[in-house]
Amino acid sequence: MTKNRGNSMQRNDQLLAANPLISKKDLAQAVKDLCDPLVPYYSPDGSMLDIGPTASRASVRTARMEGFARPLWGLAPLMGGGGSWEHWDVYLRGIRSGTDPNHAEYWHDLHDCDQKMVELASLSLTLILAPEHCWEPLNAQEKANLTAWMGQTNKRVTVDTNWLFFRVLVNVALKKVGAEYDEHRMEQDLNRLDEFYLSEGWYKDGDTEQMDYYIPFAFHFYSLIYAKVMEQEDPARSATYKERAALFAKDFVHWFGADGAALAFGRSLSYRFAQSCFWGALAFADVEAVPWGEMKGLLLRNLRWWFKQPIFTTEGILTIGYAYPNLIMAESYNAPGSPYWALKSFIPLALPDDHPFWMAEELTLPELPPVSVQEEARMTLCRNEAGDHAVAFTSGQHAAFEPAHTSAKYAKFAYSNVLGFSVPKGNFGLEQGAYDNDLALAERDNLYRTRRRCEQYRIEDRLIYSRWKPWKDVEVRSWLVPGLPWHVRIHRIETARELDIAEGGFAIPRERNHAPYHTGELIQSDEQIAALSPWGGTGIKSLLGEMKAVLLHPEPNTNLIHPMTILPMLTKQLEPGTHWIASSIFVSTGTETEHAREAYEQGPVLEVVNDTMIVRSLDANVLELKRF
C-alpha cells in the first residue's frame, strides 16, 4: 500500500524509515503505517487476518486469529490515548463475529494450553485502555458473547510460565468493564508468578534456565500494566512490581547500543522492536527508573534502528525473521502474524500528551561502565568505547523445552548487538553449521556438536566458567575472559573419542553496499587469521599453537543480521586423551575500523609457567588460571 504525503507516493516501509519518531504524533502515525497495509487481508467479518502461507504449530484458523489480535498491541494504546484509526470498524466487526458461537468466523472454544490464550492478552489490553471503542459499542448479547469467550481461560489449563499473565490480564479486563471475573484464579496465578522471581529484577520463565527477552517484554511488561491499572485495588503488589522493574532497568540498559541496536540473544527474536517495550511500559506505569529523557531515547532509538532494516514486504507487512526475512531462525510458534507482537513498544501512546515521558527532551544513552556482570542472566556484558557495540559473554543457558536452534540462541560464548549471531542451516560441515562464537566438535564425520547444556557454570568479575559434555565420554571445561576488542577462551577437553574441533570467532558481513570484504585487509598465518574490512573486523589467534586458521564462508542466511558472512576459525584434530586449547578472538565495528589493525596487533598474550596459564591483556590486567 502506498500513501500520498506531500507530492510523492511512498511505500509504508519507506514512510516508517523516514518517520523522525520524536513526538507522540510521530508514534501514532507509525502505528497507522504499520497497520494500514493489513486492511485488505482481514476476513469479510474481520475476525481473522491472513497475511502469509507459512505455518506454525497452531491451526490455520488460530494463526489467523493471532494475526487479528496482535496489531491491538499498538492500536489499543493509540485509541485509548486519544488517537484514531480510520479502519477501526474492522476490529469491532471482528470482535462481534469471533466471539459469536453461531457465526462462521467464530474463533472456536479454548482448549488447554491454547495459542488463543496468548492472544487474549492484547484483547484484554484493548478492553482496559479503550472500552469506549471496543466495549461500549457492543449490545448486551455481544458483550455476553465476548465475556463468555474470554472467561473460558479460567476453566482451562495454561502453560506454567509467563502465560499465567495472560489469564491475569483477562480477569483484570473483565473486572474493569464490570463483567464476571475469577478473583480467586487471578490471585492464584499472581502468587505462582511470584515464585518465578529470582533477584535484582530478574525472573525465570517457568521451570527452565533461560533468562532472555521474555523477562522485559513479558514478565515486566505485563506486571507494569497490572501495577498501573490495579494500583488502587492492589497497592502492595503494584509497588513490588514497580520496584522490581526499576532494579531490572539497571541491567537491561546495558543490552542497548548508542544507536538503538539491541543485543541479539535468545528466542522469539521475530518480535523485533518489542525489545524496547519495557521502556514504554515503565513510562506507562509512571516508573522513572532512569530519567524520562533517557527512557524516551532508549525506546525511540530502538524503533528508528528497526525501521531502517529490510524487515517488511513490498506491501509494508512485517515478515518473520530478524534484520531481514528469515524462516531458518524462526520458532515453531511463529505464524505470519506473530511479528506484530512488536507493537507492544507503542504502549506510551496511552499516556496523556502532557505526561513527563512526552514532555521530556530525548537524551542519549547514559555513560555506562565498559563491563556489566549480570549473574542472574549468566552473562557479562562489555561495550566498546564509542558505546555502539555491546557484547554479552555467557556461561551458557538452556531452554528446557528445546525451541529450534536452542544451543545457537542460548549457549554460544558471545552475542553481539551489531553482528548478531548465526544459526545452523544444517549440521553437516562447518559452512552449514556457521558456528560463530562456538567450539564445535565432531567425530571425524563432519557432524558437529556445540555447547548446549552446562553441567556447571560460574560467573565472576573477570572470568566465566562452564563445564559441558557434548557426549557422555567427552568433557569440556571452558574459561572465558570477557573484553573488547579482544576476549580469550581456554578449553580443557577430555575425550575418549577421536575428534575434529573448530573454534569460531565473530561472523561479519561478507559485503556491504556491494563492496566485498577483501576491499580491506586479510592477515593470515598458520595459527591466526583476521579479515579487516571498512565496516568491521574479525579475527582469531591460537595462543597455545598447533591449530590451523581458516576463513569460512558460511551458508547464506545463517546470520540473523547479515545475510552473507565470513567467519574466522581455528581447527584441530584431537586423539583420545586430555587437551588444552586457548585462543584470543578479535572484533571491531563502526568507528573502530580505521584503527582495527593496530588493535588487532596488540592482542592479549598467554604464558604457561609450570602449571599456571597467565593471560596478559592490552590494559595490563593479569589473570592466572591453574591447570589441572
Side-chain angles (χ1 to χ4, degrees):
M1 181 178 290
T2 58
K3 291 186 178 180
N4 189 350
R5 295 214 192 134
N7 298 318
S8 62
M9 297 290 285
Q10 285 184 292
R11 293 184 346 201
N12 285 62
D13 58 335
Q14 295 169 336
L15 293 169
L16 287 161
N19 189 328
L21 296 171
I22 294 172
S23 65
K24 184 180 179 183
K25 182 179 179 182
D26 292 336
L27 265 71
Q29 188 60 54
V31 170
K32 297 173 188 179
D33 288 339
L34 283 160
C35 295
D36 283 350
L38 304 175
V39 173
Y41 300 99
Y42 287 93
S43 55
D45 282 319
S47 74
M48 287 176 276
L49 179 68
D50 179 8
I51 53 172
T54 58
S56 70
R57 65 188 178 200
S59 70
V60 171
R61 190 181 195 88
T62 295
R64 291 175 181 174
M65 183 270 166
E66 176 186 296
F68 165 91
R70 296 214 166 179
L72 289 170
W73 287 116
L75 291 169
L78 172 70
M79 304 294 288
S84 62
W85 186 50
E86 62 179 311
H87 305 291
W88 179 250
D89 64 299
V90 76
Y91 274 91
L92 271 178
R93 295 201 319 271
I95 289 169
R96 289 181 172 117
S97 61
T99 58
D100 180 356
N102 299 314
H103 197 285
E105 291 192 11
Y106 179 56
W107 287 326
H108 290 177
D109 292 350
L110 270 65
H111 54 76
D112 291 345
C113 302
D114 195 326
Q115 178 66 33
K116 292 191 287 291
M117 291 178 172
V118 180
E119 313 319 323
L120 280 169
S122 59
L123 193 57
S124 299
L125 184 70
T126 310
L127 284 174
I128 293 167
L129 296 184
E132 68 276 19
H133 295 288
C134 67
W135 175 254
E136 294 171 11
L138 305 181
N139 64 34
Q141 183 59 56
E142 291 164 346
K143 288 177 178 177
N145 287 343
L146 174 58
T147 57
W149 188 80
M150 295 178 69
Q152 293 177 80
T153 191
N154 288 316
K155 301 177 179 65
R156 298 298 182 192
V157 175
T158 192
V159 184
D160 192 30
T161 62
N162 74 87
W163 278 45
L164 293 165
F165 263 121
F166 306 144
R167 194 158 59 195
V168 168
L169 289 177
V170 166
N171 283 303
V172 169
L174 294 176
K175 175 181 173 68
K176 291 295 181 180
V177 298
E180 182 181 349
Y181 72 102
D182 192 331
E183 186 172 6
H184 174 73
R185 171 69 81 181
M186 182 164 65
E187 186 67 20
Q188 193 177 45
D189 288 342
L190 288 166
N191 289 337
R192 174 57 177 155
L193 285 160
D194 271 346
E195 293 177 11
F196 297 144
Y197 185 70
L198 299 171
S199 70
E200 301 301 318
W202 286 90
Y203 291 82
K204 63 174 183 174
D205 193 12
D207 186 18
T208 185
E209 296 177 13
Q210 87 273 10
M211 275 66 72
D212 53 20
Y213 277 107
Y214 276 85
I215 312 310
F217 68 36
F219 278 88
H220 284 300
F221 186 82
Y222 304 133
S223 65
L224 286 167
I225 291 173
Y226 184 92
K228 172 75 170 185
V229 304
M230 292 292 287
E231 192 162 19
Q232 299 302 313
E233 297 92 332
D234 192 357
R237 184 176 275 122
S238 296
T240 296
Y241 284 158
K242 292 182 180 185
E243 289 165 8
R244 290 175 180 174
L247 278 174
F248 180 77
K250 295 177 182 178
D251 278 349
F252 192 49
V253 68
H254 292 271
W255 289 43
F256 292 79
D259 66 347
L263 190 69
F265 174 76
R267 69 186 177 105
S268 291
L269 293 178
S270 276
Y271 299 159
R272 295 186 173 107
F273 41 97
Q275 287 173 329
S276 53
C277 71
F278 170 75
W279 306 111
L282 283 175
F284 177 76
D286 300 313
V287 182
E288 193 178 3
V290 299
W292 291 117
E294 291 181 7
M295 193 185 304
K296 190 174 187 178
L298 282 158
L299 173 63
L300 299 184
R301 283 190 300 274
N302 185 248
L303 289 173
R304 291 185 197 116
W305 186 88
W306 276 111
F307 291 163
K308 288 178 170 55
Q309 309 306 315
I311 57 178
F312 300 95
T313 67
T314 54
E315 295 172 288
I317 293 173
L318 276 172
T319 58
I320 297 171
Y322 192 64
Y324 60 94
N326 187 345
L327 283 173
I328 297 172
M329 51 75 67
E331 321 298 347
S332 61
Y333 48 81
N334 287 155
S338 293
Y340 284 86
W341 230 51
L343 272 67
K344 284 182 167 186
S345 287
F346 292 98
I347 195 167
L349 288 174
L351 297 171
D353 296 358
D354 60 354
H355 189 277
F357 178 83
W358 293 119
M359 300 298 289
E361 179 182 354
E362 179 182 338
L363 298 177
T364 59
L365 193 70
E367 187 173 339
L368 298 170
V371 178
S372 171
V373 179
Q374 301 186 6
E375 292 188 23
E376 291 292 9
R378 303 186 186 182
M379 61 176 62
T380 295
L381 281 104
C382 297
R383 65 181 51 242
N384 63 359
E385 191 172 343
D388 57 356
H389 192 199
V391 176
F393 298 93
T394 78
S395 68
Q397 297 183 12
H398 179 247
F401 61 99
E402 298 291 347
H405 304 304
T406 302
S407 57
K409 292 173 181 176
Y410 290 100
K412 289 181 185 285
F413 297 112
Y415 293 86
S416 164
N417 72 321
V418 174
L419 300 174
F421 64 88
S422 304
V423 297
K425 186 180 282 188
N427 63 351
F428 187 80
L430 298 175
E431 288 82 5
Q432 290 183 13
Y435 301 113
D436 59 335
N437 288 309
D438 256 332
L439 176 65
L441 307 94
E443 290 189 276
R444 307 277 169 92
D445 58 1
N446 235 13
L447 296 173
Y448 283 87
R449 300 185 181 196
T450 60
R451 186 171 70 165
R452 181 171 157 270
R453 185 170 191 174
C454 296
E455 308 279 326
Q456 292 179 329
Y457 73 92
R458 188 170 64 251
I459 304 286
E460 297 173 356
D461 235 353
R462 297 170 55 207
L463 195 67
I464 297 173
Y465 167 78
S466 63
R467 180 170 68 85
W468 46 289
K469 301 184 77 169
W471 292 270
K472 289 183 179 180
D473 54 359
V474 177
E475 179 189 79
V476 183
R477 300 185 185 190
S478 299
W479 291 265
L480 201 58
V481 186
L484 287 175
W486 285 99
H487 74 273
V488 173
R489 298 180 210 154
I490 300 169
H491 306 286
R492 178 186 183 274
I493 303 171
E494 188 173 353
T495 176
R497 306 169 184 234
E498 295 180 336
L499 295 176
D500 292 330
I501 65 168
E503 180 89 88
F506 286 87
I508 67 167
R510 193 187 306 176
E511 61 178 53
R512 180 68 63 85
N513 298 327
H514 307 295
Y517 74 91
H518 51 70
T519 55
E521 182 179 6
L522 185 66
I523 302 170
Q524 185 171 15
S525 65
D526 289 345
E527 295 169 0
Q528 69 167 319
I529 193 160
L532 309 178
S533 73
W535 52 83
T538 182
I540 191 166
K541 294 181 183 180
S542 172
L543 296 179
L544 287 178
E546 299 179 357
M547 295 190 79
K548 181 182 178 183
V550 296
L551 191 64
L552 219 66
H553 290 67
E555 286 270 345
N557 307 315
T558 45
N559 187 272
L560 270 64
I561 296 181
H562 307 290
M564 292 193 299
T565 59
I566 53 175
L567 172 58
M569 275 193 159
L570 296 173
T571 63
K572 187 175 183 177
Q573 289 191 332
L574 302 183
E575 300 300 322
T578 301
H579 306 268
W580 286 83
I581 65 169
S583 56
S584 54
I585 294 88
F586 173 81
V587 65
S588 69
T589 60
T591 55
E592 307 162 323
T593 54
E594 58 186 279
H595 305 294
R597 183 178 179 87
E598 178 185 355
Y600 179 78
E601 290 174 344
Q602 297 179 23
V605 174
L606 185 145
E607 301 173 9
V608 180
V609 180
N610 298 323
D611 287 329
T612 301
M613 286 188 284
I614 303 170
V615 179
R616 301 184 188 277
S617 63
L618 182 63
D619 57 7
N621 279 331
V622 176
L623 182 70
E624 295 189 1
L625 179 66
K626 199 81 173 176
R627 292 207 295 179
F628 58 92

